[in-house]
């Protein structure tokens, strides 16, 4: 049988295995099927290529350009995913496991592409939060901005999800504008290589944006600088070894770690046998133990049930687990495939033996189980193994040993406090779940355990249909956890992009802040356009383009008419004596909505033109009441612009209403869709 040569993509060329190459085993047959690694890779040239070619090319693009690139990559991978499925069977996974890895990874790219266009500007600077006023006269401000790091992201991935693991890191990195060097785990790097090849050969990536190292990284990490980031996923031991290297520490090189986790799931005190929650719990636990043969960083390792129901849970789990057909993932009927390698199987058995010192194995005999369509002695097969720990308080190893396979331990709890204390003994996890129909149980767990877990997952009869599963990190949510889980965070939508950017506090005058952020701030330069802004197309409008309207006086008749017309006869608008008794008002006052309507009447240009629709209003505040006899005038300025599609884009206007004494009456941001062309 010919062996696959897994190549690295360095400096724009593919380089095959060479000195120091390692063998890769087919998880199902145990045969060596590929080899990867080459100690002759020029790591300095690789870093230089990313920093000097990839980085500048990515930074020249806007967030929206990069989001479109990520979408194009996702579409390309989606078109070619059958090839990825076919190759992935050699890692021991079933078709359902491939869906998590391959479709999950592509889906993550789509979410980042879409969030990039909706939540990030079509520019080069991300504004983090609002401006902070630093002087009384409004002429000295602060704005936090984020700009891409000018180095390279080195991604070191675990073996279990060769595609998702690569894409969930690549999407936020590329969106930030930072080039990446991807180093997958060697055991499954042939699958990662195919996905990388598809992306690189699609032509959607600028030169130097993504390089790929099959095998070892050599001395790469010794040459990183403060502009580089390491994104690591794997075991706590490897993370510790890499992140504690003097060069990493001395240069404060960012190190994001996702590592071991003793995730737990609690059966709520209310979820007694016979309830939909009990059945749901059994289903979730069984799925987490068997999906990807338990090689999921989020898998449930510790199962907690009310003491009185432990036996019932064991019985129900035994029944469900006994129906799991284990074997060749391509054989008819197989539900759980092999572990990634015989070395991994050995490691799981070693860890299971440690668990056995504190718990009794109540299901799954690794020396005696049926295999569907494969050679039990050659492939890396194991049955699901359930342990019961009768004394979780006295136990130690149950709470610190991760058997990275289909292994979990059940234990009883006395009351909810005890359950919370027990799950927190994992010293930091990626996810803890609670299956309960009682919102108070959820609240207590959130408050008592939130600080120890990166994600809390609550599920019950009402949410189970749409729920995403205990073990599924979603791109919208952060993935990571404190302590043992590595102390890192990934994904979480735009939050994940920020790991690859530098946050900088910028101080200066409104003009400077407006120019840097490409977003007008009050006090910034007001530009007088050649015509009314509502007659100008999306492209013609300039940031800061402003009109000031003539004043309009508010009369008692206006207020009474508005009250009668709308039905808003609230006493402050209709009863002068009652209004005066109110601490906020000097007299009967104009309705806030009347002022907004008059403001629109003052600033609109009525004829058909590029402004298509008013789509909303943000941050409305009424600052000073308006009484009959006062007059109001409006300032309308283009705050910022966001392209939406080929026909139109969103223009956000900053609007202030002030009175005859130039006192601020109201302030808000008006959202409109404005066409690119006048003709339709
Ligand atoms: P691992 O042995 O720690 O390896 C992780 C990665 O580190 C691999 O790419 C490995 O490459 C690389 N590596 C090892 N030594 C290195 C060195 N000296 N320099 C640079 N890179 C080095 O972990 P694994 O066995 O692949 O994965 C299983 C573990 O990952 C489990 O503990 C699991 O909990 C954890 N995990 C965590 C998450 C999470 O998101 N928190 C997700 C998945 C898995 P080679 O393969 O070439 O050695």
């Amino acid at each position: 049988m010919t062996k696959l040569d897994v190549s690295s993509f360095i400096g724009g060329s593919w380089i095959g295995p060479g000195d120091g190459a390692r063998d890769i085993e087919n998880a199902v047959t145990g045969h060596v099927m590929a080899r990867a690694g080459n100690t002759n890779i020029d790591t300095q040239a690789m870093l230089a290529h990313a920093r000097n070619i990839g980085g500048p090319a990515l930074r020249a693009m806007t967030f929206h350009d990069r989001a479109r690139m990520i979408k194009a990559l996702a579409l390309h991978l989606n078109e070619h995913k059958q090839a990825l499925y076919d190759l992935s069977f050699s890692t021991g996974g079933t078709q359902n496991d491939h869906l998590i890895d391959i479709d999950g990874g592509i889906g993550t790219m789509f979410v980042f592409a879409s969030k990039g266009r909706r939540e990030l500007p079509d520019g080069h600077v991300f504004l983090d939060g609002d401006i902070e006023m630093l002087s009384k006269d409004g002429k000295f401000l602060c704005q936090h901005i984020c700009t891409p790091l000018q180095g390279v992201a080195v991604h070191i991935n675990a073996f279990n999800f060769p595609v998702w693991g690569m894409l969930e890191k690549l999407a936020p990195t590329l969106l930030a504008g930072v080039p990446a060097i991807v180093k997958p785990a060697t055991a499954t790097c042939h699958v990662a290589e195919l996905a990388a090849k598809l992306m690189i050969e699609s032509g959607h990536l600028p030169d130097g944006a993504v390089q790929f190292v099959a095998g070892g990284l050599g001395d790469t990490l010794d040459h990183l600088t403060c502009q580089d980031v390491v994104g690591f996923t794997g075991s706590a031991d490897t993370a510790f070894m890499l992140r504690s290297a003097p060069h990493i520490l001395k240069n404060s090189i960012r190190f994001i770690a996702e590592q071991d986790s003793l995730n737990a799931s609690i059966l709520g005190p209310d979820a007694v046998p016979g309830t939909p929650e009990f059945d749901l719990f059994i289903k979730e636990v069984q799925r987490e133990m068997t999906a990807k043969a338990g090689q999921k960083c989020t898998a449930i390792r510790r199962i907690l049930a009310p003491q009185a129901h432990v036996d019932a849970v064991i019985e129900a789990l035994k029944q469900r687990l006994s129906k799991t057909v284990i074997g060749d993932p391509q054989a008819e009927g197989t539900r759980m495939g092999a572990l990634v390698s015989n070395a991994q199987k050995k490691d799981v058995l070693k860890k299971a033996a440690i668990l056995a010192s504190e718990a009794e194995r109540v299901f799954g005999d690794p020396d005696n189980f049926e295999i569907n369509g494969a050679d039990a002695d050659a492939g890396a097969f194991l049955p699901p193994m359930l342990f019961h720990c009768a004394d979780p308080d006295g136990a130690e190893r149950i709470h610190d040993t991760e058997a990275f396979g289909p292994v979990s331990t059940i234990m009883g709890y006395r009351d909810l406090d005890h359950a919370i204390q027990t799950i927190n003994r994992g010293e930091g996890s990626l996810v803890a779940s609670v299956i309960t129909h009682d919102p108070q149980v959820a609240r207590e767990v959130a408050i008592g355990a939130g600080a120890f877990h990166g994600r809390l997952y609550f599920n019950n009869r009402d949410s189970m249909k749409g729920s995403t599963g205990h073990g599924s990190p979603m791109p919208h949510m952060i993935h990571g956890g404190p302590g043992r889980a590595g102390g890192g965070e990934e994904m979480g939508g735009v939050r994940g992009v920020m790991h690859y950017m530098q946050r900088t506090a910028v101080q200066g005058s409104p003009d400077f802040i407006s120019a840097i952020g490409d977003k007008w701030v009050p006090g910034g330069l007001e530009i007088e356009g050649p015509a009314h802004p509502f007659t100008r197309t999306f492209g013609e409008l300039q940031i800061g383009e402003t009109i000031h309207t003539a004043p309009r006086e508010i009369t008692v008749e206006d207020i009474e008419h508005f009250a009668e017309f709308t039905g808003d006869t609230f006493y402050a608008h209709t009863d002068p004596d009652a209004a005066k008794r109110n601490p906020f008002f000097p007299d009967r006052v104009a309705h806030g909505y009347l002022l907004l309507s008059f403001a629109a009447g003052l600033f609109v240009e009525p004829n058909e033109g590029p402004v298509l629709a008013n789509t909303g209003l943000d941050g409305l505040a009424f600052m000073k009441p308006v009484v009959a006899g006062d007059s109001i005038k409006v300032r309308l300025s283009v705050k910022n612009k966001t392209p939406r599609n080929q026909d139109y884009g969103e223009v956000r206007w900053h609007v202030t209403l002030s009175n005859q004494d130039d006192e601020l009456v109201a302030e808000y941001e008006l959202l409109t869709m404005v066409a690119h062309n006048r003709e339709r």
Side-chain angles (χ1 to χ4, degrees):
M1 199 181 168
T2 51
K3 273 195 243 172
L4 281 177
D5 275 347
V6 187
S7 300
S8 298
F9 186 68
I10 314 284
S13 311
W14 287 97
I15 300 166
D19 292 346
R22 277 155 57 188
D23 286 341
I24 299 170
E25 156 189 334
N26 179 313
V28 181
T29 63
H31 298 144
V32 172
M33 61 165 295
R35 58 186 198 124
N38 190 334
T39 49
N40 299 321
I41 282 170
D42 185 346
T43 53
Q44 303 247 37
M46 171 172 78
L47 288 167
H49 187 65
R51 291 178 184 136
N52 303 336
I53 310 284
L58 286 168
R59 292 198 298 277
M61 300 162 79
T62 66
F63 285 107
H64 285 205
D65 292 335
R66 297 191 291 258
R68 280 188 285 272
M69 172 186 78
I70 292 167
K71 183 171 177 185
L73 290 170
L75 285 167
H76 188 78
L77 285 170
N78 213 31
E79 246 177 68
H80 295 88
K81 64 185 174 188
Q82 187 58 47
L84 288 165
Y85 293 154
D86 293 345
L87 188 60
S88 292
F89 286 113
S90 61
T91 68
T94 62
Q95 179 62 25
N96 277 342
D97 297 335
H98 306 341
L99 293 181
I100 304 174
D101 186 33
I102 296 159
D103 293 72
I106 295 170
T108 300
M109 300 273 274
F110 278 124
V111 170
F112 273 97
S114 144
K115 281 190 166 288
R117 275 170 299 134
R118 277 185 291 112
E119 297 173 30
L120 297 172
D122 190 28
H124 299 92
V125 175
F126 174 74
L127 302 183
D128 178 13
D130 287 335
I131 49 167
E132 303 280 350
M133 206 55 87
L134 300 178
S135 72
K136 283 210 174 97
D137 66 359
K139 291 292 180 198
F140 197 64
L141 321 171
C142 169
Q143 169 76 62
H144 288 89
I145 66 165
C146 298
T147 50
L149 290 175
Q150 296 185 16
V152 54
V154 179
H155 294 164
I156 302 174
N157 297 330
F159 70 77
N160 56 342
F161 289 114
V163 178
W164 178 83
M166 172 164 64
L167 301 185
E168 62 99 11
K169 284 192 177 73
L170 265 185
T173 305
L174 293 174
L175 191 52
V178 175
I181 292 171
V182 179
K183 185 255 172 290
T186 303
T188 53
C189 71
H190 51 302
V191 177
E193 182 218 34
L194 178 56
K197 231 174 210 161
L198 285 168
M199 288 191 286
I200 289 161
E201 288 172 3
S202 73
H204 296 303
L205 284 165
D207 193 15
V210 174
Q211 296 178 86
F212 180 85
V213 181
L217 271 177
D219 61 355
T220 305
L221 302 190
D222 298 337
H223 298 287
L224 299 187
T225 75
C226 72
Q227 289 299 301
D228 303 321
V229 188
V230 181
F232 172 85
T233 301
S235 65
D237 289 345
T238 311
F240 178 74
M241 188 223 348
L242 297 179
R243 81 196 316 183
S244 59
H247 180 78
I248 299 281
L249 293 176
K250 193 168 164 207
N251 294 285
S252 307
I253 293 162
R254 288 190 200 186
F255 195 102
I256 307 165
E258 300 293 339
Q259 52 190 50
D260 310 6
S261 180
L262 291 160
N263 315 293
S265 187
I266 301 175
L267 177 69
D270 56 303
V272 298
T275 60
E277 282 72 27
F278 184 88
D279 298 341
L280 174 61
F281 183 76
I282 300 300
K283 230 191 238 173
E284 291 250 16
V285 172
Q286 182 261 350
R287 188 173 58 200
E288 290 304 320
M289 285 181 70
T290 56
K292 197 77 195 174
Q295 301 164 109
K296 268 171 48 175
C297 52
T298 49
I300 298 169
R301 303 286 172 212
R302 295 175 303 148
I303 306 163
L304 278 91
Q307 192 61 59
H309 304 309
V310 167
D311 289 345
V313 172
I314 292 176
E315 209 37 56
L317 276 175
K318 276 183 177 176
Q319 272 191 26
R320 236 189 129 86
L321 290 170
S322 62
K323 291 190 192 129
T324 306
V325 178
I326 304 150
D328 180 344
Q330 283 178 289
E332 178 85 21
T334 296
R335 290 281 167 271
M336 184 173 112
L339 276 77
V340 74
S341 63
N342 279 298
Q344 184 61 21
K345 173 177 165 179
K346 215 166 131 195
D347 186 66
V348 171
L349 287 172
K350 198 169 108 194
K351 303 285 173 47
I354 296 173
L355 299 178
S357 65
E358 294 180 344
E360 179 196 358
R361 181 158 45 78
V362 292
F363 183 84
D365 180 353
D367 296 321
N368 184 17
F369 64 103
E370 277 179 32
I371 306 273
N372 181 33
D375 178 354
D377 295 327
F381 296 102
L382 275 180
M385 287 182 268
L386 181 66
F387 287 83
H388 172 223
C389 174
D391 178 18
D393 295 340
E396 294 288 340
R397 306 314 311 273
I398 299 294
H399 304 293
D400 72 7
T401 306
E402 183 200 43
F404 201 61
V407 183
S408 197
T409 304
I410 180 164
M411 47 203 119
Y413 66 82
R414 293 184 292 278
D415 54 28
L416 198 54
D417 271 351
H418 184 220
I420 291 169
Q421 275 169 31
T422 309
I423 62 169
N424 291 353
R425 283 192 63 197
E427 295 291 338
S429 90
L430 296 171
V431 52
S433 59
V434 188
I435 308 298
T436 176
H437 201 227
D438 181 347
Q440 283 312 313
V441 169
R443 183 182 149 80
E444 269 187 57
V445 174
I447 293 170
F452 284 80
H453 308 277
R455 177 161 63 88
L456 291 176
Y457 171 91
F458 299 101
N459 203 2
N460 63 29
R461 69 190 77 176
D462 305 324
S463 53
M464 62 186 188
K465 219 169 141 216
S467 62
T468 47
H470 162 107
S472 301
M474 304 298 288
H476 321 71
M477 301 178 316
I478 56 158
H479 173 61
R484 191 188 309 284
E489 252 185 27
E490 290 182 329
M491 302 200 295
V494 164
R495 291 175 193 87
V497 180
M498 298 308 140
H499 299 309
Y500 301 95
M501 304 189 87
Q502 176 63 42
R503 182 183 296 122
T504 307
V506 175
Q507 292 176 276
S509 70
D511 287 355
F512 282 46
I513 303 290
S514 299
I516 291 166
D518 214 12
K519 189 175 190 176
W520 187 82
V521 298
L525 190 69
E526 293 182 9
I527 297 171
E528 195 180 332
H532 190 285
F534 278 26
T535 64
R536 305 209 344 116
T537 62
F538 182 83
E540 289 167 346
L541 283 170
Q542 300 178 74
I543 304 293
E545 200 166 319
T546 298
I547 53 165
H548 290 267
T549 72
R552 170 175 184 152
E553 189 179 330
I554 313 292
T555 65
V556 173
E557 291 73 34
D558 288 335
I559 300 172
E560 286 179 346
H561 175 67
F562 193 79
E564 196 183 321
F565 179 54
T566 62
D568 180 353
T569 53
F570 186 63
Y571 70 86
H573 313 304
T574 52
D575 181 341
D577 294 332
K580 282 179 189 153
R581 286 194 290 276
N582 180 309
F584 287 94
F585 303 128
D587 202 334
R588 95 162 48 176
V589 292
H591 304 67
Y593 301 121
L594 169 63
L595 300 177
L596 293 189
S597 305
F598 279 172
L602 287 168
F603 66 64
V604 291
E605 142 62 46
N607 296 317
E608 188 177 3
V611 175
L612 303 176
N614 168 357
T615 55
L617 188 156
D618 273 352
L620 171 64
F622 294 114
M623 280 96 159
K624 195 164 175 65
V626 170
V627 296
D630 285 351
S631 58
I632 58 158
K633 58 193 177 204
V634 183
R635 179 191 46 73
L636 177 81
S637 307
V638 177
K639 180 168 181 174
N640 72 316
K641 306 194 295 179
T642 312
R644 283 276 186 253
N645 58 31
Q646 286 173 334
D647 297 326
Y648 54 81
E650 182 189 89
V651 176
R652 184 178 281 264
W653 310 78
H654 188 266
V655 188
T656 53
L657 277 60
S658 47
N659 66 16
Q660 61 284 355
D661 300 321
D662 286 332
E663 293 168 314
L664 211 53
V665 163
E667 183 174 34
Y668 56 96
E669 287 178 7
L670 174 72
L671 301 171
T672 58
M673 290 301 170
V674 178
H676 291 297
N677 297 308
R678 263 179 210 83
E679 298 78 33
R680 276 188 297 284

